[in-house]
């Protein structure tokens, strides 16, 4: 099968997918996921994952959530520009409640009773907060408070905070010292290095059905890393555009020239 036939049959080879069988796991991503998984077997699991936009945080979260066992109940809050009361309402809403028009003390009581009930039923409860860099210090203090809900034996809520690098800076503030003391594990997702980027490109092409790893030349990988900095989302966009450029020129391989042309078309 020629490259052009391959291109016609296999659309969007660089589109991200949460299916764990199709994901590329760099050492960083594998470690970050292991940290998230630790929240399940640690009763006081509290993990913070940070990374640049497009580094794969949300994809990691999706993969983690799709693999949870039936004894795990989870809620995901991604709208984070909220007041403390609105935050509690959002959490309870994700757990299936209709918590509106209630006072804060009533919301806390609802959440406390729910968590204790799930614990009694042998369930584990995980709260995932995405885009956590937008949380105000007051809401982060609320997160600290609910992370302390416990039975006479152990804490009953696991928490994962995921956000952009600004979250790291926020957590360093003096007023959040008590929250940081609750955090068991912290990890920052950096960009893919050159070797990982080559593996990532080859992996995405394999998922699309390309067996040979000769479609992108070595100099095209070098050029792509200069433009993308090793950020997966940018790699997807640039490589996908480069494929279209090469297809238009009826070429069988992607060269550095195609990468430059793609970057220009994207106005990078």
């Amino acid at each position: 099968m020629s490259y052009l036939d391959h291109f016609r049959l296999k659309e969007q080879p660089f589109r991200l997918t949460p299916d764990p069988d199709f994901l590329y796991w760099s050492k960083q991503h594998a470690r970050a996921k292991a940290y998230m998984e630790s929240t399940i077997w640690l009763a006081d699991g509290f993990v913070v994952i940070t990374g640049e936009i497009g580094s794969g945080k949300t994809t990691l979260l999706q993969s983690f959530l799709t693999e949870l066992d039936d004894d795990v109940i989870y809620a995901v809050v991604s709208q984070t520009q909220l007041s403390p009361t609105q935050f509690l309402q959002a959490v309870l809403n994700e757990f299936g409640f209709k918590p509106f028009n209630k006072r804060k003390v009533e919301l806390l009581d609802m959440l406390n009773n729910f968590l204790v009930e799930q614990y009694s039923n042998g369930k584990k409860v995980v709260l995932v907060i995405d885009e956590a860099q937008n949380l105000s210090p007051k809401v982060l203090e609320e997160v600290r408070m609910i992370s302390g809900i416990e039975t006479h034996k152990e804490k009953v809520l696991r928490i994962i905070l995921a956000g952009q690098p600004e979250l790291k800076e926020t957590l360093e503030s003096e007023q959040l010292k008590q929250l940081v003391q609750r955090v068991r594990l912290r990890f920052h997702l950096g960009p893919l290095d050159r070797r990982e980027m080559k593996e990532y490109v080859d992996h995405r092409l394999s998922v699309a059905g390309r067996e040979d790893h000769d479609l992108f030349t070595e100099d095209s990988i070098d050029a792509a890393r200069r433009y993308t900095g090793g950020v997966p989302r940018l790699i997807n966009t640039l490589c996908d555009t480069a494929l279209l450029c090469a297809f238009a020129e009826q070429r069988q391989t992607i060269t550095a020239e195609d990468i430059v042309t793609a970057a220009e078309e994207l106005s990078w």
Side-chain angles (χ1 to χ4, degrees):
M1 179 182 295
S2 73
Y3 161 62
L4 297 182
D5 290 333
H6 169 85
F7 187 89
R8 292 189 186 100
L9 292 173
K10 304 295 183 180
E11 296 181 357
Q12 299 294 345
F14 290 96
R15 187 177 298 279
L16 285 174
T17 169
D19 189 326
D21 293 333
F22 292 156
L23 294 178
Y24 168 77
W25 297 106
S26 70
K27 288 184 178 180
Q28 292 186 75
H29 289 83
R31 183 175 170 186
K33 189 182 179 193
Y35 279 15
M36 288 189 284
E37 291 171 343
S38 74
T39 61
I40 304 304
W41 45 268
L42 291 174
D44 58 344
F46 195 141
V47 173
V48 175
I49 304 293
T50 55
E52 299 289 345
I53 296 173
S55 61
K57 299 183 300 299
T58 300
T59 304
L60 269 176
L61 289 172
Q62 291 173 337
S63 176
F64 165 71
L65 294 174
T66 59
E67 297 176 15
L68 292 177
D69 294 332
D70 293 338
D71 65 340
V72 180
I73 297 173
Y74 69 86
V76 180
V77 175
S78 54
Q79 172 53 262
T80 49
Q81 294 178 320
L82 306 168
S83 69
T85 297
Q86 290 171 332
F87 170 74
L88 291 172
Q89 290 172 333
V91 171
L92 285 163
N93 185 60
E94 287 296 317
F95 282 130
F97 291 88
K98 301 299 180 184
F100 308 104
N101 300 319
K102 294 186 180 295
R103 295 174 299 168
K104 182 178 175 181
V105 65
E106 294 175 303
L107 297 172
L108 288 170
D109 186 57
M110 289 173 65
L111 182 58
N112 185 86
N113 290 337
F114 170 74
L115 293 174
V116 172
E117 179 184 2
Q118 297 309 311
Y119 176 83
S120 299
N121 293 334
K123 302 288 187 180
K124 300 170 183 176
V125 183
V126 179
L127 172 61
V128 177
I129 306 174
D130 200 4
E131 302 298 334
Q133 75 278 355
N134 295 324
L135 294 174
S136 69
K138 287 185 178 180
V139 174
L140 284 168
E141 176 60 15
E142 207 65 55
V143 172
R144 182 187 73 83
M145 294 295 291
I146 65 175
S147 73
I149 297 175
E150 59 187 358
T151 65
H152 64 284
K153 290 185 178 180
E154 60 187 41
K155 292 181 173 59
V156 291
L157 179 63
R158 284 93 167 153
I159 295 177
I160 297 174
L161 291 183
Q164 296 171 27
E166 298 92 315
L167 178 60
K168 289 175 60 180
E169 300 170 10
T170 300
L171 294 177
E172 296 302 326
S173 66
E174 186 67 23
Q175 67 188 109
L176 294 175
K177 183 180 295 186
Q178 287 183 296
L179 171 65
V180 174
Q181 290 174 350
R182 288 279 176 86
V183 176
R184 288 290 298 264
L185 296 167
R186 294 174 64 175
F187 190 76
H188 181 74
L189 281 171
L192 301 180
D193 61 27
R194 202 276 184 192
R195 176 187 59 79
E196 290 173 330
M197 181 173 165
K198 178 66 165 62
E199 291 175 354
Y200 178 72
V201 170
D202 289 341
H203 175 78
R204 297 308 302 150
L205 288 167
S206 295
V207 169
R210 175 85 179 191
E211 295 181 0
D212 296 330
H213 295 164
D214 58 356
L215 184 53
F216 281 77
T217 63
E218 292 298 322
D219 63 343
S220 73
I221 296 296
D222 292 333
R225 192 167 193 282
R226 287 196 299 272
Y227 280 108
T228 66
V231 176
R233 183 182 300 172
L234 298 180
I235 296 169
N236 295 342
T237 300
L238 184 61
C239 289
D240 205 40
T241 304
L243 284 170
L244 290 169
C245 292
F247 175 67
E249 297 293 330
Q250 298 188 8
R251 286 200 295 274
Q252 302 295 313
T253 57
I254 309 300
T255 66
E257 180 183 353
D258 295 311
I259 297 296
V260 173
T261 300
E264 291 173 348
E265 291 193 5
L266 291 166
S267 298
W268 286 7

